Amino acid sequence: MSASTGVQHFVLLLVLGASTHSAEAFVINTVNSLDCVYAPAQHSVIFPIKESDNSEGISLTEIEKGDALSSAFDAMVESSNFMFQSSAHAQSPSTTLRGQSQGHQVSSCRMPAFGTSATVTFAPLHSSCDENGDPTEYILSALNFDYPIDDFGHLCLEIYKYRDDMRGVVSMDHLRENVLDYLNSRPPDPGADAELTSSEAIGNDRLGALLDDAVDSECISKLERDGYVVIDDVIKTSQSSNDKLSQWSNKGETGQEDCRTDTVAFMNRDHAVECGVEMQYDLLLALASHLNNKMNLYESPFAPVFPGTKENPLTNPTGSNMQMAEYGPQDFYNPHSDNSIERGHHGDYIYQGSEEEYIDNLYGNDFYDDTTPWRAAMQREMFSGEKRRSNYRCITAILYLNEGWEVQDGGQLRMYLDSAHCEIPNTAEYTHNYVDVNPSNGKLLLFDSRMIHSVEKVLHQSKIRRALTLWMTRPEESGVTGERFFLQDDDN
């Protein structure tokens, strides 16, 4: 069908239903019998079709659409570690439909890790067929999963990995929203043992001596007392390294233009070596172990989560764990906290009754579930009157890279004093005193991640303000569900 027939909607519903059908019940050979086999949807994600064109602008036939989507499903099954072809489809996992809907297929697979009868099928819906008999909806059904809420989110995340194979036909907008909901409902990554990246562990005596000299007992005492400390001339970054960072292609916008206009990238050590800042990278990663050994961290009512311990509570984030941020002329970041109090969270009173009754009152009987204890923990601090934070971040470390940066260039980090318990960041400028930190080359800023701070507008018309940031984490049984994730739009 050509684009001249108008914009159609090709809808992919990701449905998680409770069904008694086995995997083989979904081996369907006619479109007409499809609608009766699916249980009512508990979760769904809609994918509108693009205007009958693929990513190269070439008009697709119905056969090409069906082939593209079934091939994407089959490729996902083949490469996945937890998806397996259904026994009835061992030789040919996709079954072509007969009738007018040529090219559209029913595919299925088993997911035994999600339940002994867990089955996923991918098929067009007869009830969505247009006047030509061509289906305008596909349905991906996940049935008989042991833990449907979590497993559905996991399935959506897996499908999102294969978006390049489908987005020439359909939009990814709704799948992206579902993946974000899933990621943002999970407990944060507890991080890695800080001792793994200590100066001793990596065999860098120079780094150990540098930390002992720069982050000494006096600096640590100020950090404990005031919640922040500024240390000048710790380790400088060369112009050559700044040039490499300027040309580094991993940078992108944050998608938060209403409150910040910088560009960021997250780097691992290979990236750091590529840009000539490996010593700076190692220094920031070694800080958590140094502070575990030297600092008396504030008391917490919550038990630590491994690899954090009571004696060594700080851990390091994993993966591409260090942020490089760039601010050009007129760029800014409004007042915010790196670990804010959850908005809309009713933690300022104590419920009179049992914890189970309170959680049941909020979420229903199925919320308080021993098989998913983190779900109950999400609200446990409400019951105790504590206020839940948005992530595990505990100490923020920022190393500035800007040679010759003057106060009149703008771009100062404005730290609002005694603001760790301020609930609305934008009010801090009216209620708290502040200090400005000039982002000059080699300066190290450490502060309590709960404190409100901003980046003032860059005033120089040509200078670029750069900084490396590491958030040392303190994983605890506090019910935290992680900082907000953002996924790049990447053209749907």
Side-chain angles (χ1 to χ4, degrees):
M1 184 160 40
S2 68
S4 62
T5 59
V7 179
Q8 293 182 328
H9 286 85
F10 194 55
V11 183
L12 174 62
L13 297 177
L14 301 181
V15 177
L16 190 62
S19 172
T20 58
H21 294 281
S22 66
E24 285 68 34
F26 293 90
V27 182
I28 308 298
N29 290 322
T30 64
V31 177
N32 292 335
S33 58
L34 282 175
D35 291 351
C36 64
V37 301
Y38 295 103
Q42 293 179 359
H43 303 279
S44 62
V45 178
I46 296 174
F47 292 72
I49 194 174
K50 298 181 178 179
E51 291 192 18
S52 301
D53 294 340
N54 65 8
S55 57
E56 285 76 37
I58 301 173
S59 181
L60 297 176
T61 66
E62 291 302 311
I63 291 177
E64 288 170 333
K65 292 176 189 175
D67 285 348
L69 294 171
S70 61
S71 294
F73 180 88
D74 292 346
M76 179 173 64
V77 173
E78 183 177 349
S79 61
S80 172
N81 292 325
F82 53 85
M83 293 181 175
F84 302 91
Q85 293 179 3
S86 297
S87 56
H89 289 97
Q91 300 301 318
S92 179
S94 298
T95 301
T96 303
L97 299 176
R98 301 185 178 91
Q100 290 177 294
S101 306
Q102 295 183 8
H104 292 285
Q105 303 179 10
V106 179
S107 305
S108 66
C109 72
R110 297 177 296 106
M111 299 184 70
F114 287 6
T116 55
S117 301
T119 304
V120 175
T121 63
F122 187 47
L125 282 176
H126 173 61
S127 59
S128 72
C129 288
D130 61 17
E131 65 276 9
N132 297 317
D134 296 317
T136 60
E137 295 179 348
Y138 259 64
I139 184 167
L140 183 91
S141 300
L143 304 172
N144 303 321
F145 280 28
D146 289 344
Y147 307 111
I149 294 176
D150 286 348
D151 290 347
F152 176 74
H154 195 162
L155 177 62
C156 289
L157 183 60
E158 186 70 11
I159 293 168
Y160 190 77
K161 297 175 184 177
Y162 295 87
R163 60 193 181 279
D164 287 345
D165 297 328
M166 292 195 295
R167 66 182 175 196
V169 180
V170 295
S171 167
M172 296 288 107
D173 285 347
H174 296 290
L175 178 63
R176 185 183 299 108
E177 292 172 6
N178 199 278
V179 169
L180 285 174
D181 286 344
Y182 171 67
L183 291 175
N184 290 322
S185 70
R186 307 294 296 170
D189 183 348
D193 187 345
E195 291 304 308
L196 297 175
T197 51
S198 68
S199 57
E200 293 84 359
I202 64 175
N204 191 331
D205 294 337
R206 178 191 167 201
L207 184 60
L210 179 60
L211 282 170
D212 288 338
D213 181 57
V215 191
D216 58 16
S217 59
E218 183 178 349
C219 291
I220 290 174
S221 293
K222 179 173 174 54
L223 178 59
E224 293 170 350
R225 181 181 68 251
D226 299 335
Y228 78 98
V229 62
V230 181
I231 310 170
D232 291 320
D233 299 323
V234 175
I235 180 171
K236 292 196 173 185
T237 300
S238 68
Q239 185 58 50
S240 173
S241 294
N242 267 289
D243 291 342
K244 291 176 182 178
L245 289 168
S246 177
Q247 297 165 11
W248 194 32
S249 61
N250 292 31
K251 294 171 290 188
E253 297 179 352
T254 65
Q256 301 170 274
E257 289 78 9
D258 56 332
C259 64
R260 63 187 295 185
T261 57
D262 58 326
T263 58
V264 302
F266 284 86
M267 59 170 49
N268 56 33
R269 197 175 191 283
D270 288 342
H271 298 143
V273 171
E274 176 186 340
C275 296
V277 290
E278 61 269 28
M279 187 65 175
Q280 290 85 339
Y281 181 93
D282 290 345
L283 171 81
L284 291 174
L285 274 179
L287 275 167
S289 173
H290 183 76
L291 293 179
N292 275 338
N293 293 330
K294 307 287 186 179
M295 182 179 179
N296 293 316
L297 203 58
Y298 58 84
E299 290 294 324
S300 171
F302 304 112
V305 170
F306 183 82
T309 65
K310 187 174 181 180
E311 294 75 22
N312 296 300
L314 294 177
T315 63
N316 279 317
T318 57
S320 295
N321 48 16
M322 197 168 297
Q323 177 187 269
M324 194 280 289
E326 283 187 354
Y327 290 78
Q330 302 301 304
D331 282 340
F332 64 91
Y333 196 160
N334 285 342
H336 63 282
S337 168
D338 291 344
N339 190 0
S340 59
I341 294 171
E342 287 261 313
R343 299 295 298 275
H345 171 243
H346 308 291
D348 54 353
Y349 64 89
I350 298 178
Y351 180 78
Q352 300 300 315
S354 73
E355 182 179 339
E356 289 84 351
E357 289 172 340
Y358 177 63
I359 294 171
D360 178 56
N361 185 51
L362 285 176
Y363 293 96
N365 291 320
D366 60 344
F367 186 88
Y368 198 84
D369 182 353
D370 289 340
T371 61
T372 53
W374 68 269
R375 294 185 174 279
M378 284 171 61
Q379 302 303 324
R380 188 164 289 140
E381 83 297 342
M382 286 187 182
F383 177 75
S384 65
E386 296 290 337
K387 294 185 178 182
R388 189 172 73 232
R389 294 282 168 173
S390 59
N391 55 63
Y392 284 156
R393 292 174 179 176
C394 182
I395 301 292
T396 299
I398 303 178
L399 181 65
Y400 295 107
L401 317 180
N402 312 296
E403 188 63 36
W405 197 273
E406 305 293 342
V407 172
Q408 59 266 29
D409 296 333
Q412 282 74 36
L413 185 139
R414 180 161 292 179
M415 179 68 62
Y416 292 93
L417 305 179
D418 301 314
S419 61
H421 300 287
C422 179
E423 296 192 32
I424 305 176
N426 284 336
T427 66
E429 58 184 311
Y430 307 109
T431 58
H432 292 71
N433 294 324
Y434 63 83
V435 295
D436 282 345
V437 180
N438 193 52
S440 54
N441 196 2
K443 183 172 293 183
L444 176 65
L445 171 63
L446 303 176
F447 61 91
D448 183 336
S449 298
R450 301 173 298 176
M451 293 180 69
I452 308 300
H453 56 287
S454 63
V455 176
E456 298 302 290
K457 189 174 292 186
V458 173
L459 301 178
H460 199 280
Q461 295 305 303
S462 61
K463 287 185 178 180
I464 303 297
R465 175 196 189 275
R466 293 191 183 89
L468 298 177
T469 301
L470 179 77
W471 293 280
M472 288 167 267
T473 47
R474 184 181 190 174
E476 299 177 307
E477 295 178 356
S478 58
V480 165
T481 56
E483 62 176 307
R484 307 313 294 171
F485 283 84
F486 298 91
L487 299 178
Q488 188 174 352
D489 191 346
D490 65 14
D491 297 325
N492 296 325

